[in-house]
Amino acid sequence: DTEVTQTPKHLVMGMTNKKSLKCEQHMGHRAMYWYKQKAKKPPELMFVYSYEKLSINESVPSRFSPECPNSSLLNLHLHALQPEDSALYLCASSPRQGEPYGYTFGSGTRLTVV
Amino acid sequence: AQTVTQSQPEMSVQEAETVTLSCTYDTSESNYYLFWYKQPPSRQMILVIRQEAYKQQNATENRFSVNFQKAAKSFSLKISDSQLGDTAMYFCVFMGNNDMRFGAGTRLTVKP
C-alpha cells in the first residue's frame, strides 16, 4: 500500500458544527503532516507529527485540533470554523521527519464552511 | 528563512513540444533538497522529480529533467514531448533542515 487516504473528500459544515478530517497511511511512515491550501495558492503547513507526537504547530488557531492516535492515523478536529477556513486540506506522510525523499500526499478534503 | 520563487504564474505548450518551468530559491544552508511536484485537477500532489544539492548531475525522470544551477540558486524543470496529462499546477519545493516549503506554483496547460 503506497497511498495516503483522506476522508471525507468533500465536507460542508456550519460555523457551529464539530467535524473531523481523517488521514490514514499503511506505509510505515512515522511523520505525518497537515497542510491547508487555498484556491490557486501553494499548500501551507499547519501541523507536523513525528512518532505520534506533535512536532510543529505553525501558529494555527485553536479551532483546529490535530490528533495522532497511532502511527497510521492522523485526525484534524474542527470546531467553530469561519468561512475563511474554507480550503483544501491535504495530509501527507514521510518515512521520518526531515528525510529528504519527498512526501506522499493524499487527495485532500475540500472543506466549505457556511 | 528560505524562499522559493516561481516567476511564471501560467504557461502553455502545444502537445509534443518542450516547455521549461523556472524556479529560484534563497537559502543559507549548504545541504538541501529540491523537488518538483505536480497537482492536476484531481488535487493529489504528485512527486515529479527530486534533486540533492550536493549532486552536480541533473536529475532526470523519463520526459522530465531539471537544470540545477547551485551557485545561481536556480532549479528549472524541462518537460519534453508534452502530453495532455501533463496539464497541472507545478510547484517547486525546497527542503532544508526543516520541512518542505513551496513556491507559488506555475499553472501549465498542454494544448492539443
Side-chain angles (χ1 to χ4, degrees):
Chain A
D1 188 351
T2 59
E3 290 187 348
V4 172
T5 303
Q6 290 187 244
T7 54
K9 293 193 182 306
H10 301 273
L11 178 62
V12 179
M13 62 184 290
M15 290 187 284
T16 59
N17 290 159
K18 286 185 179 180
K19 297 286 184 183
S20 297
L21 309 185
K22 180 180 173 181
C23 172
E24 200 164 2
Q25 57 87 16
H26 297 284
M27 295 177 282
H29 290 178
R30 303 310 297 271
M32 297 184 76
Y33 311 82
W34 279 116
Y35 282 86
K36 175 183 178 180
Q37 187 178 23
K38 300 286 277 184
K40 299 185 180 181
K41 296 290 187 182
E44 297 175 352
L45 183 65
M46 300 175 71
F47 303 103
V48 179
Y49 272 82
S50 177
Y51 288 88
E52 297 89 70
K53 293 190 187 316
L54 185 63
S55 172
I56 294 176
N57 177 344
E58 291 283 0
S59 302
V60 179
S62 60
R63 56 186 184 269
F64 294 91
S65 176
E67 178 196 20
C68 190
N70 60 58
S71 60
S72 300
L73 186 58
L74 184 66
N75 297 319
L76 185 63
H77 302 298
L78 314 173
H79 174 55
L81 294 193
Q82 303 297 310
E84 59 264 29
D85 296 322
S86 298
L88 179 67
Y89 288 83
L90 292 167
C91 175
S93 71
S94 65
R96 307 286 183 272
Q97 185 181 356
E99 280 194 354
Y101 298 106
Y103 298 174
T104 302
F105 283 85
S107 297
T109 294
R110 176 81 62 195
L111 174 67
T112 303
V113 181
V114 296
Chain B
Q2 47 271 359
T3 59
V4 180
T5 302
Q6 294 180 248
S7 58
Q8 305 150 314
E10 294 190 21
M11 296 188 72
S12 64
V13 64
Q14 291 295 132
E15 196 175 6
E17 298 290 307
T18 295
V19 64
T20 298
L21 280 58
S22 302
C23 173
T24 59
Y25 59 93
D26 186 27
T27 183
S28 58
E29 298 178 38
S30 57
N31 191 26
Y32 52 87
Y33 299 82
L34 295 161
F35 307 84
W36 280 97
Y37 274 85
K38 70 180 271 191
Q39 189 177 34
S42 65
R43 308 181 325 201
Q44 186 168 14
M45 201 77 69
I46 301 167
L47 178 63
V48 175
I49 199 163
R50 170 179 173 269
Q51 175 79 43
E52 297 97 328
Y54 61 85
K55 286 189 176 179
Q56 291 188 340
Q57 185 174 5
N58 290 323
T60 62
E61 286 289 340
N62 301 315
R63 298 183 294 107
F64 299 88
S65 62
V66 298
N67 183 2
F68 174 48
Q69 302 290 327
K70 189 172 184 178
K73 296 181 181 175
S74 171
F75 182 61
S76 61
L77 174 70
K78 185 171 82 171
I79 305 174
S80 304
D81 186 26
S82 297
Q83 300 176 0
L84 297 178
D86 295 332
T87 292
M89 193 76 165
Y90 286 80
F91 292 101
C92 178
V93 182
F94 175 99
M95 183 173 186
N97 292 327
N98 298 311
D99 57 282
M100 303 173 86
R101 299 291 174 177
F102 289 74
T106 296
R107 183 169 300 280
L108 176 67
T109 301
V110 180
K111 299 180 178 179

